[in-house]
Amino acid sequence: MSDVSIKLKEVSKSFDGKLIIDTISCDFIKNKVHAILGKSGTGKSVLLKMLIGLFKPDSGKILINGKEAEHYKSVGDFKMSYIFQSSALLNSLTVLDNVTIFLDEHNVDEKESRVSKALKILNELGIKDSANKMPSELSGGMRKRVAIARSLIIEPDILLYDEPTSDLDPINTKTISQIINKLKARGDITQIVVTHDIGFAYSISDTISILDNGQILITGDPDLIKSSKNPILDSI
Ligand SMILES: Nc1ncnc2c1ncn2[C@@H]1O[C@H](COP(=O)(O)OP(=O)(O)OP(=O)(O)O)[C@@H](O)[C@H]1O
Ligand SMILES: [Mg+2]
């Protein structure tokens, strides 16, 4: 089986006649952590939304496990989860109910086992004590961890993060980077992380791609990116 989890082949996307993603080709290797680093407005969220299927490319192909994205919804041979830039928790539900919501809605397992699964994940992420709190009672870092817990409960093969450290202080940023590294060590989940935080990208990534003006300028491991001296790095 191929070790490529997601393959982009000359993918382009425009909005209102403006080219946002410009003929991007890129491989994301299975069970590794890939960061997409770029300035605000360069198309990072648009790229992620195409991977999850919220936007369709105007041209080019997205292959997941070798199958074209258009068909993957009906294939059901892998699970993909997405952590929104805003965390997107439901404010009227407790932390626990936010985490179990997908399983509740799809009636997966008994309620008791959904709850124990959620508590186990919340415990791993260090927020089990907040299970009965409402989202409004949480800090930004805790909200982010609840959003990650909600994504993990479906046991995804591919996990996409949109700016998981935006608005977080260095301590919370470090916590998120530890969580991503812990998941990486498990070796069974492909993580793609969009960020404009270079230090954070270095702390989690197997590979980093620099996105600018809708194009990938360079892809490589953190050492290669550090030594590239690409002037774009000074402006992110
Ligand atoms: N649904 C949409 N309709 C029209 N234009 C859009 C839409 N979504 C994004 N865009 C445009 O695409 C461009 C890239 O947006 P995107 O949200 O991907 O940027 P980003 O790199 O994620 O920025 P940030 O770091 O601020 O989150 C912007 O010019 C934005 O206005
Ligand atoms: Mg964005």
Side-chain angles (χ1 to χ4, degrees), residues 44-46 85 162-163 194:
K44 302 185 300 296
S45 294
V46 169
Q85 195 158 353
D162 198 347
E163 297 280 5
V194 152

